[in-house]
Structures are given as structure tokens and as C-alpha cells.
Amino acid sequence: DAKTTQPNSMESNEEEPVHLPCNHSTISGTDYIHWYRQLPSQGPEYVIHGLTSNVNNRMASLAIAEDRKSSTLILHRATLRDAAVYYCILRDRLGNTGFQKLVFGTGTRLLVSP
Amino acid sequence: NAGVTQTPKFRVLKTGQSMTLLCAQDMNHEYMYWYRQDPGMGLRLIHYSVGEGTTAKGEVPDGYNVSRLKKQNFLLGLESAAPSQTSVYFCASSSLSGGSDQPQHFGDGTRLSIL
């Protein structure tokens, strides 16, 4: 499985934008970039994913570098509820059965101050 | 919408005891997974299932068994609990259609302590 590298922690103030980086220099052409987050005492929650183009949804935006070796999860206005561990995960879109496991690293712990 | 439901939420066992963790999903998903999460670490895959009646080993399967007799349920068993199995256990499910484009949906976890 291709590896991702994320900072251990980041801090933000409430209502400010947050840019969470992820490096994946060994990404293959068929890997999707997925982001999950885990709030305290809860299971992981899907945030967003993309392949080549930037993506937006109600939770966040995903900016993917042109060479796909890095990506950035953007929270446009951080709230206290966004304090969580954010995981950047690569998933190969090809597979014998369509099953693709998620390989979690240690993620980035986002701290949000009022 | 219930999504993925795990029972029990907490449990304390003595070394050598056995127990079964239950995961139920109401989204008609084909794929189901069991993960464990130890303090300060990411989740690790224990076992998974790609359909009713089928199971397969994940990254850390030793000491665990699983069964998927019904599509909506995935059971994780500890036959003889050991302190090293103290962890938080998460169940997840995902849809077959779309392959790796489909997100996994997680339960809120079972916190298991083995004394």
C-alpha cells in the first residue's frame, strides 16, 4: 500500500480556514485519495475523496496537486466540532473483488480554539 | 437512521474468558470489517467479509474469529481473551457498487478491557 505522511498536529482558531496537508509521493495512477476524521470517542467518519480534480462537498474541499504527490484538505471555517484526528488514506480503485481495505496511519490531530 | 450499531459499548473481561462482539448494519452493504484501535495509533484491520457466508483475514487476525451468517450482521469472537486484546474495536460497512470509490461507515466502537 502506498504510504501517506501527515503532520502530527495542527492548531486553528474558530471560524478560520484550516489547511491540512498530506504527502503521498509514491501514489499510483489508480489510487484514490480519501480523507476520514475521527472525533473523540467516536468511530471514523468519511469526509471526502478525489482522484485528480479538486473536489468540494458540504463538509470540506480537497485540493490535489497537479502531480498528485500531495493533497490538502480544506475546512473553510473551523468550528469547535471540527476538532478531531484527520486521516489521509490512499485506496487503489482496481481490485479483484472491488474490496479495498483502508490503511490508517496516525493522522493529524486538529485542535480548534474558541 | 441507525447505520452501523455495535454492542456492547463497554466490557471488562478476565483473561481466558470468551465473548462475542456484535455489529449490525441497516444499509444493505455487502462489505463489513472489524478494526481495532490501540492508544495513539490508527485503526488496524482484524477480519473482513465481502458477503454473507464469507470472511477473510486482515492485518492482525490472531486470537479472533468472525462469522457472517446474515448479510446485516458481522460477529467478532474472542475465544480466550488476553490482556493484549485490550483495545477499542470498530465495525464498519461499505457498499459493493463503485468499488473503492465507496466510503466505509463506522460504528461508535466497543471499549474492551481484559484484566
Side-chain angles (χ1 to χ4, degrees):
Chain A
D1 297 307
K3 190 180 170 90
T4 63
T5 304
Q6 300 177 252
N8 288 333
S9 64
M10 292 186 65
E11 295 185 23
S12 174
N13 294 319
E14 204 174 6
E15 299 191 3
E16 290 185 352
V18 179
H19 292 231
L20 297 165
C22 181
N23 287 322
H24 28 78
S25 58
T26 59
I27 191 170
S28 76
T30 55
D31 282 338
Y32 277 102
I33 303 161
H34 283 245
W35 283 81
Y36 283 74
R37 72 179 185 180
Q38 187 173 19
L39 279 64
S41 299
Q42 293 189 26
E45 172 188 31
Y46 167 78
V47 177
I48 200 168
H49 77 279
L51 185 62
T52 56
S53 303
N54 294 344
V55 184
N56 299 298
N57 66 21
R58 63 176 180 80
M59 290 182 69
S61 296
L62 177 59
I64 301 173
E66 197 169 332
D67 64 5
R68 301 205 332 121
K69 296 189 178 200
S70 65
S71 60
T72 302
L73 179 70
I74 302 166
L75 307 178
H76 295 286
R77 290 184 65 196
T79 69
L80 296 178
R81 195 193 174 278
D82 291 322
V85 178
Y86 288 78
Y87 298 98
C88 169
I89 301 168
L90 302 182
R91 297 185 76 189
D92 194 335
R93 68 181 180 90
L94 302 178
N96 293 332
T97 63
F99 164 78
Q100 292 293 331
K101 64 182 180 181
L102 290 177
V103 179
F104 287 82
T106 53
T108 297
R109 181 173 298 278
L110 176 64
L111 304 171
V112 181
S113 301
Chain B
N1 294 331
V4 177
T5 303
Q6 293 184 231
T7 53
K9 296 190 186 311
F10 304 93
R11 186 74 184 267
V12 178
L13 289 179
K14 294 181 179 178
T15 298
Q17 286 185 317
S18 64
M19 80 161 295
T20 300
L21 281 64
L22 172 63
C23 176
Q25 53 96 3
D26 61 1
M27 296 171 283
N28 201 34
H29 285 166
E30 292 79 7
Y31 298 152
M32 296 188 74
Y33 319 78
W34 276 107
Y35 294 86
R36 64 177 285 174
Q37 185 173 34
D38 299 312
M41 297 180 67
L43 281 70
R44 291 183 292 168
L45 185 64
I46 305 172
H47 285 280
Y48 64 95
S49 169
V50 299
E52 182 178 323
T54 70
T55 63
K57 293 180 179 180
E59 189 183 355
V60 287
D62 293 342
Y64 305 95
N65 55 74
V66 288
S67 64
R68 183 116 181 255
L69 299 180
K70 294 183 179 180
K71 186 177 184 179
Q72 63 269 33
N73 295 336
F74 195 28
L75 279 62
L76 177 71
L78 285 73
E79 288 186 349
S80 180
S84 61
Q85 294 177 305
T86 293
S87 189
V88 181
Y89 291 85
F90 290 100
C91 176
S93 70
S94 64
S95 174
L96 167 65
S97 61
S100 62
D101 209 20
Q102 294 300 312
Q104 291 186 15
H105 299 260
F106 286 81
D108 284 336
T110 294
R111 283 151 182 80
L112 182 61
S113 293
I114 313 233
L115 306 178

